[in-house]
């Protein structure tokens, strides 16, 4: 990352523009990786990322760039956030199909055994 190379030369001075550029580069790499995940979602995930995230081999180059551009704590955070959002979305999408009957059968539908 550009931040480490710059910080080695000036350890006492913090430049907000360098931090901003590094953060924007991280966000771009993250967005490219997750866009690849969405685009290749029909393919079988074979690669393992942090926090149990699985991704297809077609996204490996994007993943490597993403890991290189971002801090490891950010990568873990974004992976957890992505997994949580996908889990919630899956639960919301499946809720209608997993729901039981809305109304119970009415008593008049049963025939008495007399």
């Amino acid at each position: 990352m550009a931040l480490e190379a710059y910080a080695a030369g000036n350890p006492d001075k913090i430049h907000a523009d360098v931090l901003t550029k590094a953060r924007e580069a991280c966000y771009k790499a993250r967005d490219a990786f997750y866009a690849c995940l969405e685009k290749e979602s029909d393919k079988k995930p074979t690669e393992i990322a942090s926090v149990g995230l699985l991704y297809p081999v077609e996204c490996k180059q994007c993943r490597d760039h993403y890991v290189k551009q971002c801090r490891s704590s950010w990568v873990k955070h974004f992976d957890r956030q992505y997994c949580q959002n996908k889990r919630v979305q899956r639960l919301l999408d499946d809720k209608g199909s997993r729901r039981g009957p809305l109304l119970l059968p009415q008593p008049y539908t049963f025939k008495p055994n007399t």
Side-chain angles (χ1 to χ4, degrees):
M1 187 176 355
L3 180 62
E4 282 91 13
Y6 187 80
N10 286 329
D12 296 333
K13 197 169 185 183
I14 296 175
H15 290 271
D17 60 335
V18 174
L19 295 174
T20 302
K21 288 177 185 175
R23 187 170 54 244
E24 288 174 0
C26 173
Y27 291 161
K28 283 183 183 180
R30 175 201 63 187
D31 293 342
F33 172 65
Y34 291 130
C36 179
L37 276 182
E38 295 297 323
K39 186 176 79 170
E40 305 291 343
S41 64
D42 57 335
K43 298 199 170 125
K44 181 172 174 68
T46 57
E47 306 296 315
I48 300 175
S50 65
V51 300
L53 176 68
L54 299 174
Y55 62 96
V57 72
E58 290 81 7
C59 298
K60 188 162 179 59
Q61 184 178 6
C62 290
R63 177 71 186 186
D64 292 340
H65 182 66
Y66 167 47
V67 169
K68 188 175 93 174
Q69 289 295 319
C70 299
R71 293 179 175 191
S72 63
S73 61
W74 287 24
V75 171
K76 279 186 179 178
H77 169 74
F78 291 139
D79 286 349
R80 280 191 188 111
Q81 193 174 37
Y82 179 81
C83 290
Q84 179 65 25
N85 289 341
K86 287 307 249 183
R87 188 177 307 116
V88 167
Q89 191 62 44
R90 188 173 61 242
L91 288 173
L92 290 175
D93 290 345
D94 289 348
K95 190 170 184 157
S97 64
R98 292 185 181 191
R99 186 179 299 155
L102 293 176
L103 298 173
L104 293 174
Q106 299 300 316
Y108 62 83
T109 60
F110 297 109
K111 293 184 181 179
N113 293 336
T114 55

